[in-house]
Amino acid sequence: MPITTKQLIQWKQEGRLIVALTAWDYVIAKLLDAAGVDLILVGDSMSVILGYKNTLPLTLDETIHHAKAVQRGVSKALLVVDLPFLTYQESTQQAINSAGRVLKETGAQAVKLEGAYPFLVETITRLVQAGIPVMGHVGLTPQSIHHIGLCQQGRTEADGDRILQEALTLEKAGVFSIVLEHIPSSLGSKITQKLSIPTFSIGAGKDCDGYILVTSDILGLSEKQPPFAKVYTNLRQLITKAIEEYVMEAREGRL
């Protein structure tokens, strides 16, 4: 049976670590699901795979297109989809419409929204009331790149307290889990201890309830590697070498 949001909360209570990765197509999704990944995120990080410089240009239609392909490769993992920039910030109704499209058209079980400012918290509350599971995201929020950059967040006591309060507020609003991105490990640990819902670390230390990374980063496909992502293999090198060998043999008529 597919993994549910309630199972993730139960796993936190049991102390079972949760494993998550991102996917952008059927092939990658099928491999992740078969390997035992618990949660698959169709993240707006796939904007890099599509050739964008950051996450901002990604559209809802593009996201849905890729999420539908991912869903066809998933049989067990919980499937969560990022709502792209400016598809949920204008109004609560816009957020409900965007999230509703994602769930109806892709078969995903939940959506993820970045931030915890007052209006967004109200929006998340409404989404949850409407029956739409929501994953939160605090710390470094890439959709706010022009406001906060891509540097580590929560390094001062005041900023750390703010992020902690944001996480607590999101839990109260009804999110089933929260991504903690690029914050000090001590802060990640503190937030995890305070919450009754799972936290996912992406550069937030080892004391969270689960871990999530961008799959293209761990496979060595990304041109720029974040400081917190371990490279498990270098597919960029392997693929380049394979293609170069094919080109050479094809030109020499040795196929």
Side-chain angles (χ1 to χ4, degrees):
M1 294 291 291
I3 292 169
T4 66
T5 58
K6 288 185 177 180
Q7 276 182 284
L8 299 190
I9 296 172
Q10 181 181 340
W11 287 347
K12 175 186 175 79
Q13 296 168 351
E14 297 172 352
R16 179 197 186 282
L17 291 174
I18 309 165
V19 182
L21 281 169
T22 65
W24 55 87
D25 65 10
Y26 169 81
V27 173
I28 291 293
K30 196 169 182 64
L31 291 172
L32 298 186
D33 197 60
V37 172
D38 300 312
L39 184 151
I40 295 176
L41 172 68
V42 181
D44 57 9
S45 56
M46 73 175 170
S47 57
V48 177
I49 297 296
L50 299 180
Y52 296 129
K53 292 182 178 179
N54 54 53
T55 64
L56 302 186
L58 193 69
T59 68
L60 184 60
D61 285 340
E62 286 173 324
T63 299
I64 288 173
H65 172 80
H66 284 271
K68 288 166 71 174
V70 169
Q71 192 277 331
R72 290 191 285 269
V74 175
S75 61
K76 185 178 180 182
L78 178 72
L79 182 58
V80 182
V81 178
D82 263 337
L83 290 190
F85 180 61
L86 285 186
T87 66
Y88 59 93
Q89 293 97 333
E90 291 182 8
S91 67
T92 299
Q93 189 59 54
Q94 182 203 32
I96 292 174
N97 291 342
S98 297
R101 278 195 63 194
V102 166
L103 266 60
K104 286 170 67 70
E105 296 179 34
T106 72
Q109 292 100 324
V111 295
K112 181 169 77 65
L113 283 66
E114 290 185 9
Y117 49 89
F119 171 72
L120 183 58
V121 172
E122 294 175 12
T123 296
I124 289 172
T125 301
R126 287 284 304 280
L127 287 171
V128 173
Q129 290 173 345
I132 300 173
V134 177
M135 183 182 221
H137 184 154
V138 297
L140 173 60
T141 48
Q143 291 182 13
S144 303
I145 183 174
H146 295 316
H147 179 59
I148 63 173
L150 293 176
C151 60
Q152 188 183 58
Q153 303 296 302
R155 288 179 289 185
T156 67
E157 183 177 354
D159 283 344
D161 288 343
R162 173 183 55 79
I163 294 172
L164 170 60
Q165 290 305 314
E166 288 176 345
L168 291 169
T169 301
L170 287 176
E171 179 180 34
K172 188 176 180 180
V175 300
F176 68 88
S177 64
I178 299 180
V179 171
L180 305 179
E181 181 166 356
H182 207 12
I183 60 175
S185 58
S186 57
L187 179 57
S189 177
K190 185 177 182 179
I191 293 172
T192 300
Q193 292 172 15
K194 293 281 187 180
L195 299 182
S196 60
I197 56 173
T199 59
F200 285 86
S201 170
I202 177 167
K206 297 181 178 180
D207 295 327
C208 294
D209 301 300
Y211 306 97
I212 184 167
L213 286 172
V214 175
T215 299
S216 57
D217 290 341
I218 71 168
L219 296 181
L221 288 171
S222 302
E223 293 183 15
K224 293 182 180 180
Q225 194 70 19
F228 46 77
K230 176 181 176 180
V231 179
Y232 287 82
T233 188
N234 194 326
L235 286 188
R236 179 176 288 269
Q237 272 186 358
L238 293 174
I239 292 171
T240 300
K241 181 180 178 182
I243 294 173
E244 286 175 346
E245 289 182 6
Y246 163 74
V247 170
M248 181 179 65
E249 291 186 5
R251 284 180 176 158
E252 294 174 354
R254 295 192 289 117
L255 294 181

